[in-house]
């Protein structure tokens, strides 16, 4: 059986992208694939390696032409052993902004015998723009047993706004300052919930207590925090980071849309979105989300229904089905 060798970069902390790679490895193993984790530094492996999977050093991977060798974007040097061995090299791009990172001067992707996998439809469209080839899409998954709405949200007085300070903290601060300065005129009472330094269970608990999630991350490939917020019954406001438009759809007319065409999805508006870095627009989006909660009624019910439908499309089963289809093409 052909092996799938997945390179895990030597990061000091577990990033969202590294967690997704680990989940992909575990998912492939669950499909009966022969999976090997490839580490640049086996003496300092990333945290939370998938249990039960063999791990080898990069220089001892013994890659062959039968192997599928998966490397995340931003680490093209790690492709060298796979290219030398003639392995089927697959670059899994989880953030379009880092797609060209690490390539030597004068080298472009179309000069290398590699194929691509994208984390979202916008990322796939960016890769098509850059290389002329539209790759398959393998989306991340969220745990529906962990990220789910509460039986009842607290009364929106004040409206609780969750946000992650590590995502462009200065912009989040500006949006908070602007909404506070406008409070006497808008009449909106907001309570800010900084979600940081929490385990996944703590994040889910915090999101269930919030009404609105302010998304300030960009660039993004397929941002998970806003998706987890939707699963916990929040209305999202703010930035999509481009990649978020895989699932973000505006409530009502006038919302920002990217230049790339949006794919067809079976849900409607789940948030209020501004152009990346547009503090003015994000402030208005946040205020619109808060008013939606205060007004209640059918409009809020429809938005929450769309939020739940969005989250349901990103469950583990959907990812397993995508994995099975993509790897059937790769290895049979």
């Amino acid at each position: 059986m052909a092996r799938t060798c997945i390179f895990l970069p030597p990061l000091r902390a577990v990033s969202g992208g590294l967690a997704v790679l680990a989940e992909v490895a575990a998912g492939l193993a669950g499909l009966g694939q022969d999976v090997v984790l490839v580490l640049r530094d086996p003496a300092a492996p990333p945290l939370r390696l998938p249990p039960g999977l063999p791990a080898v050093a990069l220089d001892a991977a013994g890659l062959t032409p039968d192997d599928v060798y998966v490397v995340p974007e931003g680490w093209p040097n790690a492709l060298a052993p796979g290219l030398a061995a003639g392995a089927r090299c697959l670059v899994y791009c989880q953030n379009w902004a880092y797609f060209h990172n690490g390539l030597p001067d004068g080298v472009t992707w179309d000069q290398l015998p590699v194929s691509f996998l994208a984390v979202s439809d916008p990322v796939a469209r960016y890769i098509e723009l850059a290389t002329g080839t539209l790759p398959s899409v393998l989306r991340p998954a969220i745990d529906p047993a962990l990220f789910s709405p509460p039986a009842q949200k607290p009364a929106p007085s004040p409206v609780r706004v969750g946000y992650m300070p590590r995502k462009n903290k200065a912009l989040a601060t500006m949006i908070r300052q602007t909404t506070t300065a406008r409070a006497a005129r808008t009449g909106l009472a907001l309570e800010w919930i900084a979600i940081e330094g929490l385990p996944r269970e703590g994040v889910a608990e915090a999101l269930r207590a919030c009404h609105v999630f302010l998304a300030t991350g960009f660039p993004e490939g397929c941002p998970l925090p806003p998706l987890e917020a939707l699963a916990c019954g929040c209305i999202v406001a703010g930035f999509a980071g481009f990649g978020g438009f895989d699932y973000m759809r505006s409530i009502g007319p006038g919302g920002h849309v990217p230049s790339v065409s949006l794919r067809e999805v079976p849900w409607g508006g789940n948030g209020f979105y501004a152009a990346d870095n547009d503090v003015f627009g994000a402030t208005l989006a946040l205020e619109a989300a808060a008013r939606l909660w205060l007004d209640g009624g059918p409009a809020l019910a429809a938005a929450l229904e769309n939020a739940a439908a969005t989250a349901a499309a990103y469950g583990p089963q959907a990812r397993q089905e995508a994995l099975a289809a993509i790897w059937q093409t790769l290895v049979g």
Side-chain angles (χ1 to χ4, degrees), residues 214-296:
L214 175 63
T216 56
F218 73 88
E220 297 280 7
C222 189
L224 285 175
L227 189 58
E228 293 164 349
L230 291 172
C232 290
C234 297
I235 302 300
V236 176
F239 308 141
F242 182 63
F245 282 113
D246 195 69
Y247 61 84
M248 292 178 176
R249 296 295 182 271
S250 292
I251 296 172
H256 172 74
V257 293
S259 56
V260 66
S261 297
L262 299 180
R263 69 186 181 109
E264 293 291 329
V265 293
W267 56 84
N270 50 29
F272 298 89
Y273 305 108
D276 294 340
N277 205 32
D278 180 1
V279 171
F280 188 108
T283 298
L284 297 181
L286 173 60
E287 293 176 354
R291 289 194 187 93
L292 186 65
W293 275 99
L294 294 171
D295 293 343

Side-chain angles (χ1 to χ4, degrees), residues 134-165:
L134 181 66
S136 297
V137 175
L138 179 62
R139 295 177 174 87
I142 58 174
D143 183 355
L146 182 59
F147 295 99
S148 60
Q152 185 174 355
K153 288 278 187 179
S157 53
V159 175
R160 294 182 178 179
V161 180
Y163 72 106
M164 292 186 168

